[in-house]
Amino acid sequence: MNDSYIGRFAPTPSGYLHFGSLVAALASYLDARAAGGRWLLRMEDLDPPREVPGAQDAILRTLETYGFAWDGELVYQRDRHAEYAAVIERLLAQGLAYACTCSRKQLAGHGGIYPGTCRDAGHAEHGAAIRLRVPQLEYRFVDRVQGEFGQQLGREVGDFVIRRRDGLFAYQLAVVLDDAWQGVTDVVRGADLLDSTPRQLYLQELLGLPQPRYLHVPLIIQPDGHKLGKSYRSPPLPAEQAGPLLLRALRALGQQAPTELQGAAPAELLAWGIAHWDASRIPRSRTLAEAQLR
Ligand code: GLU
Ligand code: ZN
């Protein structure tokens, strides 16, 4: 095994895996295995109220049926709360984060960018959201597929929430802490998260954590124009369609799977994918229409 490559897949159980998540899982799996690296799995169960009952089990069962084997223990974010809380306390103590008591109504009308109302208000943290102060600086990186991408955090994002008012921890904070804790060197995921990446780079810098390489695969768009993103609800991927859907996912990633693979079992498709993986063939686009993949 190659310890200089550690990849991961990090599903959110607010729904079942859909074709878009299969494409992201496949890309991260093949990129890791082709490099002789490790491939970890992390359940991003940060938001129990939004969880679909049974989704965690269904996701694991789908991954297994589709032939994905992960290394080591499955990590659950519900077991990581003590670390998230400790980091938030440290950021608060350093004045890098602050409590925000703004209501949804007060936040409306700023184009989604927090106007900084509570920055120097000194609110108590209990029952308040915690926001991270962002600098008026651009955070930029070179994505392996999407190319250069940057955001001026102050102007384009604003101070963002790292713990919600209801006490739940925010994805942006948890993902950065967990990727570092698990030693992840390569983040391969859907392009819906491209514009989360500059926030994550800032957090890594602030916390002295290493910056992984990034590869964002195109997001799959439904015939009705619907994006297959985190919030998209669809039925579980059918077990009996594992072969055909893996083949379609390979092709969505630009991999030139031969017609002889039609009817092949998942293990054979994944083995072909590892042997022939060429990330430079992934379409350099943020979205792909599912209709063109059939
Ligand atoms: N949990 C996120 C999702 O399902 C992925 C997070 C990540 O890969 O950074 O969309
Ligand atoms: Zn506020």
Side-chain angles (χ1 to χ4, degrees):
M1 281 239 192
N2 171 3
D3 274 336
S4 59
Y5 189 114
I6 301 181
R8 91 307 193 260
F9 181 58
T12 302
S14 59
Y16 304 112
L17 295 184
H18 47 64
F19 181 67
S21 22
L22 177 66
V23 170
L26 182 62
S28 100
Y29 181 81
L30 296 180
D31 201 55
R33 295 301 188 219
R38 292 169 60 77
W39 190 69
L40 313 179
L41 185 63
R42 179 171 73 233
M43 191 59 74
E44 299 211 317
D45 53 351
L46 286 174
D47 194 348
R50 283 197 56 212
E51 209 165 306
V52 169
Q56 293 201 13
D57 282 350
I59 289 169
L60 299 180
R61 227 172 309 120
T62 298
L63 288 172
E64 279 163 3
T65 328
Y66 279 61
F68 296 97
W70 58 90
D71 295 310
E73 291 276 313
L74 167 60
V75 165
Y76 290 91
Q77 290 191 321
R78 62 170 179 258
D79 296 331
R80 301 267 305 140
H81 289 188
E83 166 150 2
Y84 308 152
V87 170
I88 286 174
E89 287 314 311
R90 206 163 78 222
L91 292 169
L92 282 167
Q94 293 171 323
L96 294 165
Y98 59 90
C100 165
T101 56
C102 293
S103 64
R104 200 168 298 223
K105 212 156 140 196
Q106 281 171 291
L107 295 177
H110 296 277
I113 295 165
Y114 183 66
T117 321
C118 301
R119 263 195 161 200
D120 302 304
H123 293 305
E125 60 167 289
H126 186 77
I130 306 297
R131 287 184 185 271
L132 192 68
R133 247 175 239 280
V134 300
Q136 294 290 343
L137 287 177
E138 185 174 57
Y139 280 77
R140 178 169 282 280
F141 70 106
V142 180
D143 188 86
R144 289 170 57 202
V145 163
Q146 308 291 337
E148 252 196 89
F149 183 80
Q151 281 172 329
Q152 212 281 7
L153 287 184
R155 203 175 56 235
E156 296 179 68
V157 179
D159 295 348
F160 60 91
V161 171
I162 52 175
R163 196 189 74 201
R164 286 168 24 180
R165 178 202 292 275
D166 56 12
L168 296 181
F169 298 102
Y171 156 72
Q172 306 291 355
L173 178 77
V175 73
V176 161
L177 293 176
D178 290 345
D179 281 340
W181 177 65
Q182 293 185 277
V184 170
T185 61
D186 287 81
V187 169
V188 176
R189 62 187 178 191
D192 51 334
L193 294 165
L194 194 59
D195 54 17
S196 285
T197 310
R199 269 171 277 184
Q200 296 172 13
L201 299 183
Y202 173 53
L203 270 164
Q204 286 153 2
E205 180 189 270
L206 210 55
L207 300 170
L209 303 173
Q211 182 185 316
R213 287 179 289 263
Y214 288 98
L215 189 167
H216 287 86
V217 301
L219 202 63
I220 307 297
I221 308 224
Q222 286 281 281
D224 61 2
H226 211 115
K227 286 185 184 173
L228 290 179
K230 243 200 287 285
S231 54
Y232 184 81
R233 294 281 170 83
S234 56
L237 291 170
E240 66 287 354
Q241 288 293 309
L245 288 179
L246 279 168
L247 186 56
R248 196 189 296 171
L250 276 170
R251 291 185 172 150
L253 290 166
Q255 310 301 300
Q256 314 224 302
T259 38
E260 296 85 82
L261 283 176
Q262 243 145 34
E268 195 185 335
L269 286 156
L270 293 179
W272 184 91
I274 294 166
H276 297 88
W277 178 240
D278 183 354
S280 74
R281 287 188 176 278
I282 300 171
R284 295 181 185 274
S285 142
R286 284 175 77 161
T287 55
L288 273 186
E290 199 188 10
Q292 289 163 10
L293 303 171
R294 284 167 202 274

